[in-house]
Amino acid sequence: ILNVEQSPQSLHVQEGDSTNFTCSFPSSNFYALHWYRWETAKSPEALFVMTLNGDEKKKGRISATLNTKEGYSYLYIKGSQPEDSATYLCAFPPANYGGSQGNLIFGKGTKLSVKP
Amino acid sequence: GAGVSQSPRYKVAKRGQDVALRCDPISGHVSLFWYQQALGQGPEFLTYFQNEAQLDKSGLPSDRFFAERPEGSVSTLKIQRTQQEDSAVYLCASSPRLAGEKETQYFGPGTRLLVL
């Protein structure tokens, strides 16, 4: 059974703090890792698709790194703002799907709350 | 442009009722996915369409769940004889090309179903 684990489950920070959280996934037969941000009452929004070991991607104050050999990805937020409050999900396409239809296995997410 | 839309946004059903959840994907998107997110869990895959063809329905939890996309655009997820364990957020996602591990999926805001 393929599992994607995210930690911590929730995080409370003050505005201006930098923060990071972790996504762990099976390291064998790696294809890609997806990060999404899901604000309450909105649609999950794609942040990054990471494919190569050592990848580092950046979008504004948010960046992510990838280690496929040990099976983890970190998401960093620099100088958190209240509008960063959301659940951050990582997702992994099942490696044993053969010609994969591209469905994703999601972690439970990290819920970030940023206090002004 | 318009994103993925879903309706209704909220649905309360009595146990045993049938419900129908609608998804309008981004125009021209080939691939369409349905996911179910139970409370405290990450989204879980239900089914996948490539145009009008349902290529994978392995995630549908029982034969009470049925999905269709007859013209390759709008999709409907139908749940017959709803049970309390069907209470969840149902997410629809689409992507522009044939599904693949590295393809971004664009999500709708979900339908929150509560079965009493």
Side-chain angles (χ1 to χ4, degrees), chain A residues 69-87:
Chain A
K69 293 184 180 179
E70 296 183 34
Y72 65 83
S73 176
Y74 292 140
L75 192 80
Y76 299 91
I77 302 178
K78 184 178 178 182
S80 303
Q81 299 297 309
E83 59 264 31
D84 296 328
S85 297
T87 296

Side-chain angles (χ1 to χ4, degrees), chain A residues 4-83:
Chain A
V4 179
E5 301 288 339
Q6 291 190 250
S7 62
Q9 194 172 359
S10 64
L11 199 51
H12 298 264
V13 302
Q14 289 294 133
E15 182 175 355
D17 288 350
S18 293
T19 187
N20 66 85
F21 25 94
T22 306
C23 172
S24 301
F25 53 87
S27 56
S28 59
N29 297 323
F30 177 82
Y31 289 98
L33 188 84
H34 298 242
W35 280 101
Y36 284 86
R37 172 171 63 196
W38 193 0
E39 294 178 64
T40 303
K42 294 188 178 179
S43 304
E45 172 197 0
L47 289 174
F48 307 112
V49 180
M50 310 191 75
T51 56
L52 297 176
N53 186 42
D55 247 359
E56 180 168 348
K57 295 205 172 183
K58 192 173 179 180
K59 185 176 182 177
R61 293 179 291 98
I62 303 176
S63 60
T65 60
L66 180 69
N67 183 324
T68 61
K69 293 184 180 179
E70 296 183 34
Y72 65 83
S73 176
Y74 292 140
L75 192 80
Y76 299 91
I77 302 178
K78 184 178 178 182
S80 303
Q81 299 297 309
E83 59 264 31

Side-chain angles (χ1 to χ4, degrees), chain B residues 35-50:
Chain B
Y35 293 86
Q36 178 192 57
Q37 188 196 27
L39 192 63
Q41 304 297 314
E44 293 190 0
F45 169 73
L46 294 177
T47 187
Y48 162 68
F49 289 86
Q50 179 182 310

Side-chain angles (χ1 to χ4, degrees), chain B residues 19-31:
Chain B
V19 299
L21 312 180
R22 177 185 169 110
C23 172
D24 284 80
I26 294 172
S27 178
H29 276 201
V30 169
S31 299

Side-chain angles (χ1 to χ4, degrees), chain A residues 9 31-32 34 36 38 41-46 49 51 89 93-94 97-109, chain B residues 4 9-10 33 35 37 40-43 45 48 50 55-56 58 89 91 99-109:
Chain A
Q9 194 172 359
Y31 289 98
H34 298 242
Y36 284 86
W38 193 0
K42 294 188 178 179
S43 304
E45 172 197 0
V49 180
T51 56
L89 293 163
Y97 208 79
S100 177
Q101 307 296 356
N103 59 290
L104 297 172
I105 295 175
F106 282 86
K108 294 181 181 181
Chain B
V4 178
R9 292 291 307 274
Y10 303 93
F33 301 84
Y35 293 86
Q37 188 196 27
Q41 304 297 314
F45 169 73
Y48 162 68
Q50 179 182 310
L55 297 188
D56 186 353
S58 62
V89 176
L91 289 165
E101 296 88 354
K102 302 172 187 178
E103 292 295 323
T104 294
Q105 295 181 22
Y106 298 86
F107 281 83

